[in-house]
Amino acid sequence: MNKIDLGYDSINLGHGSGGLMTRDLLDKIIFETFSNPYLDQKHDGSIIQMDGKIAISTDSFVVSPIFFKGGNIGDLAVNGTVNDVAMCGAIPEFLSLAFIVEEGLAIGDFIKIVETIKETADRSGVKIITGDTKVVERGKGDKIFINTTGFGKVHPKADISAKKIKPGDKIIISGPIAQHGMAIMSQRDGLEFESSIESDTTNLNFLVSKLLDSFGDKIHLFRDPTRGGLASVLSEIASDIHMGVNITESALPIDDQVAAACEMLGLDPLFVANEGIFVSIVDPEIASEMIELMQKDDKGERAICIGEITEEHPNKVVMHSVIGGKRMVTPMIGEQLPRIC
């Protein structure tokens, strides 16, 4: 984007008034950046033609800090919703985009976030087709909050449902856990520590689509372990299907520096948020072949089977430890890491 001069160094209440300042902000930043045939109509909404089954997901992003190693709130706002639509077995195509901006946010920061959203949307193959911008008084927000809603056609071979899960199904994870949460914590006020840990935020839709092309309804479930981490997702699944989940501690992929940071802060990596990995529960006959295919993709190169579904201990997750014991993985009760995404 060329250098933009709105006549102000920061967002003020006039930019959310609906008047000339709002139009200036929209024309020079939003419409210019996201220009496409849908948005260029500058209407109250967009009309799209989508046949067949449609997946829709919405998410709001309040991460603090808004800029962090490996990305910013703009990356999360696109990747998070794109991935949620993909977890439904769908191919994301369109996003809505809504900003709630606090008075005083630097215009340069706003532009950087908008540019990141555009770059991330392009990488994900989705278009921004409608949106909204509101400004709240100084002290009534925290720099910027973003909401996105994603739409996509369900893959013709997908049949994603927890009801299809059966004993013996394998649990596959696409990559190392706890990276996003620890990247955020390393830069949070009062907890900063030296680290090269970066958020794993990325779009997973193309890898998911590739897996559905190859394995179709043999894939029973996709989930992305964001807030609450891997433990929360597995606990929810066990509770929903009224079966047990067994996982193996030694199989869990985690980088050494992430494990060390978790230990330093007294955090369990199983409960730390992720933004660039997914869990899949699949028919055992395809597990090895699916892992092999995932490992050929840079977003699944560390994919591994971490456990399986069992008829034993229904509604519970049990982890088999490296020393041969067993540990019950209980659902998280409160908030371990607030405003992580």
Side-chain angles (χ1 to χ4, degrees):
M1 187 187 295
N2 297 325
K3 184 174 176 59
I4 296 171
D5 183 12
L6 295 180
Y8 298 87
D9 293 328
S10 62
I11 299 289
N12 67 51
L13 290 175
H15 289 118
S17 67
L20 291 177
M21 289 179 66
T22 301
R23 174 56 59 183
D24 207 29
L25 183 77
L26 294 178
D27 284 343
K28 292 182 179 179
I29 299 179
I30 303 298
F31 290 130
E32 180 177 325
T33 302
F34 299 120
S35 177
N36 62 58
Y38 301 97
L39 203 62
D40 291 349
Q41 297 177 51
K42 299 183 180 180
H43 197 39
D44 285 347
S46 287
I47 299 172
I48 56 176
Q49 180 70 45
M50 300 185 77
D51 300 321
K53 293 170 67 176
I54 306 300
I56 302 172
S57 183
T58 192
D59 207 347
S60 298
F61 300 86
V62 298
V63 67
S64 178
I66 59 175
F67 296 99
F68 47 84
K69 293 175 184 175
N72 63 53
I73 192 172
D75 297 88
L76 292 185
V78 176
N79 290 332
T81 296
V82 162
N83 292 343
D84 284 346
V85 173
M87 295 301 102
C88 298
I91 302 165
E93 296 181 56
F94 304 109
L95 288 181
S96 71
L97 171 67
F99 297 104
I100 298 176
V101 187
E102 183 187 18
E103 177 188 17
L105 178 73
I107 291 287
D109 286 347
F110 183 67
I111 291 172
K112 184 175 180 180
I113 290 166
V114 167
E115 289 176 336
T116 298
I117 290 171
K118 169 63 173 171
E119 293 163 3
T120 310
D122 287 348
R123 282 196 300 271
S124 303
V126 298
K127 288 183 171 62
I128 310 292
I129 61 170
T130 190
D132 185 43
T133 302
K134 295 290 194 300
V135 180
V136 298
E137 302 96 325
R138 194 184 303 268
K140 297 294 180 66
D142 190 359
K143 299 183 176 68
I144 184 170
F145 300 149
I146 303 176
N147 174 273
T148 49
T149 299
F151 306 80
K153 296 178 186 177
V154 174
H155 191 287
K157 292 186 177 182
D159 186 14
I160 304 300
S161 172
K163 294 179 181 178
K164 293 183 59 187
I165 297 172
K166 61 185 187 301
D169 279 0
K170 299 300 182 182
I171 303 167
I172 297 170
I173 194 164
S174 64
I177 63 173
Q179 287 187 203
H180 174 71
M182 297 320 298
I184 298 298
M185 296 308 291
S186 72
Q187 293 180 265
R188 181 158 290 176
D189 288 345
L191 286 174
E192 301 100 323
F193 56 90
E194 287 297 321
S195 168
S196 60
I197 301 170
E198 293 190 353
S199 169
D200 60 348
T201 179
T202 192
N203 64 296
L204 301 165
N205 52 313
F206 296 124
L207 174 55
V208 167
S209 184
K210 187 189 304 182
L211 295 175
L212 288 168
D213 287 341
S214 297
F215 304 109
D217 62 4
K218 296 290 185 181
I219 300 171
H220 297 157
L221 194 70
F222 287 122
R223 289 288 301 273
D224 57 345
T226 52
R227 284 177 300 168
L230 178 62
S232 294
V233 161
L234 294 180
S235 294
E236 289 170 9
I237 292 170
S239 179
D240 289 343
I241 64 176
H242 304 296
M243 287 183 264
V245 170
N246 282 329
I247 58 174
T248 303
E249 184 178 22
S250 60
L252 296 174
I254 182 169
D255 290 341
D256 289 343
Q257 62 176 338
V258 173
C262 287
E263 185 174 358
M264 179 180 69
L265 294 176
L267 300 174
D268 186 337
L270 287 174
F271 291 98
V272 176
N274 311 274
E275 289 290 343
I277 63 172
F278 62 90
V279 173
S280 50
I281 300 181
V282 306
D283 192 297
E285 71 180 41
I286 68 162
S288 296
E289 188 180 353
M290 181 163 152
I291 290 170
E292 185 178 343
L293 180 59
M294 292 173 72
Q295 290 174 344
K296 294 177 181 177
D297 189 292
D298 62 354
K299 296 180 182 180
E301 59 187 5
R302 292 178 63 182
I304 189 172
C305 179
I306 61 169
E308 66 179 14
I309 304 299
T310 178
E311 291 181 294
E312 300 174 359
H313 51 80
N315 304 310
K316 294 180 172 57
V317 180
V318 172
M319 184 166 70
H320 297 257
S321 73
V322 293
I323 60 173
K326 295 181 181 180
R327 167 193 161 191
M328 194 74 70
V329 179
T330 56
M332 187 168 64
I333 297 173
E335 180 64 87
Q336 182 175 238
L337 301 172
R339 294 186 57 188
I340 210 73
C341 58

